Amino acid sequence: MKRFIVSGRRALSARASPLPHRPFATAAQPDESLASLLPKMPPFDYSPPPYTGPSAAEVLQKRQRYLSPAIFHFFKNPLNLVDGKMQYLFDENGRRYLDAFGGIATVCCGHCHPEVVEAIVNQTKRLQHSTVLYLNHTVADFAEALASKMPGDLKVVYFTNSGTEANELALLMARLYTGCHDVISIRNGYHGNAAATMNATAQSNYKFNVVQAGIHHSLNPDQYRGLFGSDGPKYARDVDEIITYGTTGCVAAFIAEAIQGVGGIMELAPGYLPAVYSSIRRAGGLCIADEVQSGFGRTGSHFWGFEAHGVVPDIVTMAKGIGNGIPLGAVVTTPDIAKVLTNRTYFNTFGGNPVCTAGGLAVLKVLEKEKLQQNALTVGSYLKERLVSLMEKHEIIGDVRGRGLMLGVELVTDRKAKTPAKVEIAHLMEQMKEMGVLIGKGGFFGNVFRITPPLCFTKDDADFLVDVMDYNMSKL
């Protein structure tokens, strides 16, 4: 069902967009009758201050000259984003965009949430840097609050600067604790950009060719393309075979995301994690849950992604949304496992500094105060229903998956053959950007829309997103 609303509560207000909203990339503007049928962005009571900095062209020129050539961007003409407020972003001309992707990148509570900003600014005015060498209540308070969100005996927190650091530390701890070296990860998973985490990231091996001994990649429990469909225990047998035939029988750890983010919002098949955790623990290994993308209430039904599978890990890693955009990550484990680092010297200069932990504590308070986990469940369920209904209209949609506000839409040119629609998704992203929607993509073939907005996303935002997607798919 189309939901193209011309006026009313979803009409674009003058305050919401100080410059004309141009839905097409073409020079010619549509006539008024056509424009009236276009999806309208929900009103928003905020206008950014005028921008007086360098233009997008100037920034791009500097970027190409001075920054790493490995840095990429989604669009042919990358946006120069200069302002953000909650679920919206603004470019150099003051044009507003609905951010349907940045939530997974960094933002949990919304861009520039006033209470998070205030906590960071106030702490910066008092003290910027002081970690484990001295006492500071901000660091301890956040660790206590974070531990209170954990099940079982997961009570000891190590702070880092990123998810990559957190996963590197988790793998180190597991190897030291078990005395074993072998690590098993899932094909198509993603765990970071350092040596050990790159190697544990099976999806990226062919790109980076980082080779480390003792890393094994197990069959991906892919419910859409996988050999065994949604039968998790059948996929888990591959882990048993790796333990039996690929290792000495001594395993340090198994690491996995509950929902693969970069891998295309792929939720692991039911029954997989319980079966694998059992096998790993029989082999003397530890189970690591990578919650960098699926944690902090994003799935709606649970605070942590692993909880939906009925398991309790030995180590949990987290980052991104934990600090709402500031460099912050964490590893949480049991007191028994944590003792292993007392036999070594582990120190992180900036991990757990007062400024970042003040921001992290503010994020937890906002999540609870504004009931954002419940909002992720309510709005995410509504959004998923609308996306599923879109499948009936557009053959290009092969699968809609995920939970809460962590959703994926896989595009294919042939539903039966599941042929990846790689060219089409790039075109659609460009067109959706021109109409004011920023969306991500991922998956092994790069053909999956990643919909992971800030948790303050509303049903009106969901309608606008789906209507824009529907409109541009119709034009295909």
Side-chain angles (χ1 to χ4, degrees):
M1 179 180 67
K2 292 186 178 180
R3 300 175 60 90
F4 297 155
I5 299 178
V6 178
S7 61
R9 62 190 178 92
R10 294 180 57 205
L12 186 62
S13 68
R15 293 187 65 184
S17 185
L19 294 181
H21 189 81
R22 299 177 183 271
F24 291 127
T26 56
Q29 290 300 299
D31 59 41
E32 292 185 6
S33 60
L34 178 59
S36 67
L37 296 176
L38 296 176
K40 298 293 189 275
M41 188 179 293
F44 189 62
D45 191 18
Y46 174 77
S47 295
Y51 174 70
T52 58
S55 67
E58 292 171 314
V59 175
L60 181 60
Q61 186 179 41
K62 284 187 178 181
R63 173 168 165 155
Q64 292 172 336
R65 183 171 182 179
Y66 296 110
L67 292 180
S68 166
I71 298 175
F72 67 94
H73 46 77
F74 279 145
F75 306 112
K76 293 178 182 178
N77 298 309
L79 292 170
N80 183 22
L81 297 173
V82 300
D83 206 296
K85 199 69 169 176
M86 304 311 287
Q87 67 270 43
Y88 295 103
L89 291 166
F90 299 82
D91 68 11
E92 59 188 325
N93 298 313
R95 181 180 175 185
R96 179 162 59 106
Y97 297 85
L98 177 63
D99 184 4
F101 179 57
I104 206 68
T106 52
V107 178
C108 179
C109 304
H111 293 281
C112 302
H113 192 289
E115 294 181 29
V116 178
V117 170
E118 183 180 19
I120 294 170
V121 170
N122 288 342
Q123 183 59 51
T124 304
K125 291 178 179 178
R126 295 294 304 273
L127 183 67
Q128 294 179 323
H129 174 60
S130 174
T131 55
V132 294
L133 294 178
Y134 307 98
L135 297 179
N136 185 279
H137 77 89
T138 305
V139 183
D141 289 347
F142 183 41
E144 179 185 31
L146 203 54
S148 72
K149 291 291 188 181
M150 289 289 166
D153 204 25
L154 293 164
K155 299 300 178 188
V156 181
V157 182
Y158 292 86
F159 288 116
T160 66
N161 300 290
S162 68
T164 292
E165 278 190 10
N167 282 329
E168 287 275 334
L169 178 57
L171 293 174
L172 172 65
M173 292 172 68
R175 283 169 165 162
L176 292 175
Y177 181 79
T178 62
C180 303
H181 186 72
D182 289 276
V183 171
I184 301 175
S185 63
I186 302 176
R187 296 173 195 166
N188 202 52
Y190 176 79
H191 302 292
N193 287 307
T197 52
M198 274 188 183
N199 206 44
T201 298
Q203 188 187 54
S204 300
N205 267 6
Y206 71 96
K207 299 176 184 176
F208 298 110
N209 196 30
V210 178
V211 179
Q212 283 191 351
I215 299 289
H216 310 272
H217 301 137
S218 64
L219 191 64
N220 184 29
D222 181 341
Q223 299 185 68
Y224 180 60
R225 294 179 180 273
L227 180 64
F228 303 117
S230 298
D231 194 335
K234 285 186 178 179
Y235 293 103
R237 293 173 189 168
D238 190 48
V239 174
D240 289 324
E241 292 184 5
I242 290 173
I243 295 171
T244 302
Y245 303 109
T247 72
T248 60
C250 181
V251 178
F254 169 81
I255 182 170
E257 309 156 270
I259 302 178
Q260 295 171 344
V262 175
I265 316 298
M266 187 64 64
E267 191 168 12
L268 306 187
Y272 177 78
L273 281 185
V276 170
Y277 274 31
S278 178
S279 296
I280 294 295
R281 285 169 174 157
R282 279 198 306 269
L286 301 181
C287 300
I288 303 172
D290 182 334
E291 291 288 328
V292 170
Q293 296 194 29
S294 59
F296 291 87
R298 175 158 295 279
T299 63
S301 58
H302 300 84
F303 197 80
W304 306 108
F306 64 79
E307 291 178 303
H309 294 265
V311 296
V312 177
D314 302 297
I315 303 174
V316 180
T317 62
M318 61 200 73
K320 297 190 186 298
I322 185 177
N324 213 54
I326 55 178
L328 180 63
V331 177
V332 185
T333 190
T334 67
D336 184 48
I337 297 172
K339 288 178 183 177
V340 71
L341 288 185
T342 62
N343 300 324
R344 306 289 195 280
T345 298
Y346 174 78
F347 181 78
N348 192 315
T349 303
F350 295 104
N353 68 78
V355 173
C356 288
T357 51
L361 183 57
V363 168
L364 280 182
K365 291 179 179 178
V366 168
L367 282 171
E368 294 178 355
K369 176 182 176 182
E370 299 183 2
K371 297 180 173 57
L372 293 182
Q373 180 181 337
Q374 179 60 46
N375 189 67
L377 177 62
T378 302
V379 177
S381 299
Y382 174 76
L383 174 56
K384 188 174 183 179
E385 288 176 3
R386 287 221 57 202
L387 291 169
V388 169
S389 69
L390 216 55
M391 288 183 67
E392 300 173 5
K393 182 177 179 181
H394 300 291
E395 286 290 322
I396 194 171
I397 299 178
D399 190 33
V400 174
R401 54 182 178 255
R403 60 173 63 204
L405 286 175
M406 190 171 184
L407 301 174
V409 178
E410 181 152 357
L411 304 188
V412 294
T413 56
D414 185 314
R415 280 189 179 177
K416 186 175 181 180
K418 300 180 180 178
T419 310
K422 294 184 284 187
V423 174
E424 290 80 0
I425 196 171
H427 173 76
L428 286 169
M429 287 182 70
E430 292 282 353
Q431 297 305 309
M432 291 177 70
K433 180 200 75 170
E434 293 303 319
M435 294 183 69
V437 174
L438 304 182
I439 197 168
K441 72 171 181 176
F444 186 83
F445 301 103
N447 66 318
V448 182
F449 279 133
R450 295 168 64 193
I451 303 173
T452 53
L455 301 188
C456 54
F457 216 62
T458 68
K459 286 187 176 181
D460 284 347
D461 295 323
D463 283 332
F464 179 61
L465 166 63
V466 177
D467 290 346
V468 168
M469 186 180 294
D470 181 19
Y471 177 83
N472 286 287
M473 284 182 175
S474 298
K475 290 176 64 179
L476 279 178

